[in-house]
Amino acid sequence: MINFVPETSTKTLNDAYLAELESQGVKLPDVDLENTKGEYIFLIDRSGSMSGGFIKMAREALAIFLRSLPKDSYFNVISFGSKYTTMFEESKKGEGKVLSEAIDNVE
């Protein structure tokens, strides 16, 4: 009696996608997203077209993003209308007093 059991693969769809990219010569960096720290620059439009509910929604969204910053990441907020302003001269670590003051400033 002949018994045939096909070999199954443990590769995921993501692995197949990465293999396809590599076959086309695309090289992706090996990034550990769980331990990667980042710098997040938020751009906020303060021009006249954002008056009323639009700017309110932008501020609410920004507050949510600030509360969701990954641990040990840095951030800054740049807003623009007829001129631009930055919240900080350079990005700050998103934790403690700096983060809570930024959220208060946005809300």
Side-chain angles (χ1 to χ4, degrees):
M1 172 194 273
I2 297 176
N3 190 2
F4 175 74
V5 178
E7 187 177 316
T8 60
S9 175
T10 59
K11 295 203 178 270
T12 66
L13 185 56
N14 192 43
D15 294 327
Y17 179 67
L18 291 175
E20 175 62 23
L21 289 176
E22 287 178 2
S23 75
Q24 295 179 18
V26 176
K27 297 292 182 192
L28 298 175
D30 187 23
V31 177
D32 179 8
L33 292 178
E34 292 293 320
N35 296 311
T36 300
K37 284 101 179 123
E39 179 178 12
Y40 300 87
I41 306 297
F42 300 99
L43 300 175
I44 303 296
D45 182 353
R46 293 182 288 108
S47 67
S49 66
M50 293 294 288
S51 65
F54 295 117
I55 194 68
K56 182 177 187 273
M57 286 189 290
R59 292 172 76 115
E60 289 170 355
L62 179 56
I64 291 169
F65 292 139
L66 291 174
R67 285 187 184 95
S68 303
L69 284 171
K71 183 180 179 187
D72 295 329
S73 61
Y74 288 76
F75 77 100
N76 204 346
V77 178
I78 301 172
S79 62
F80 62 92
S82 56
K83 296 188 281 186
Y84 77 92
T85 60
T86 60
M87 187 172 280
F88 309 110
E89 285 189 32
E90 59 185 40
S91 294
K92 301 285 186 179
K93 195 167 187 179
E95 63 184 16
K97 186 177 178 183
V98 169
L99 184 59
S100 62
E101 287 178 357
I103 292 169
D104 289 343
N105 188 18
V106 168
E107 293 179 326

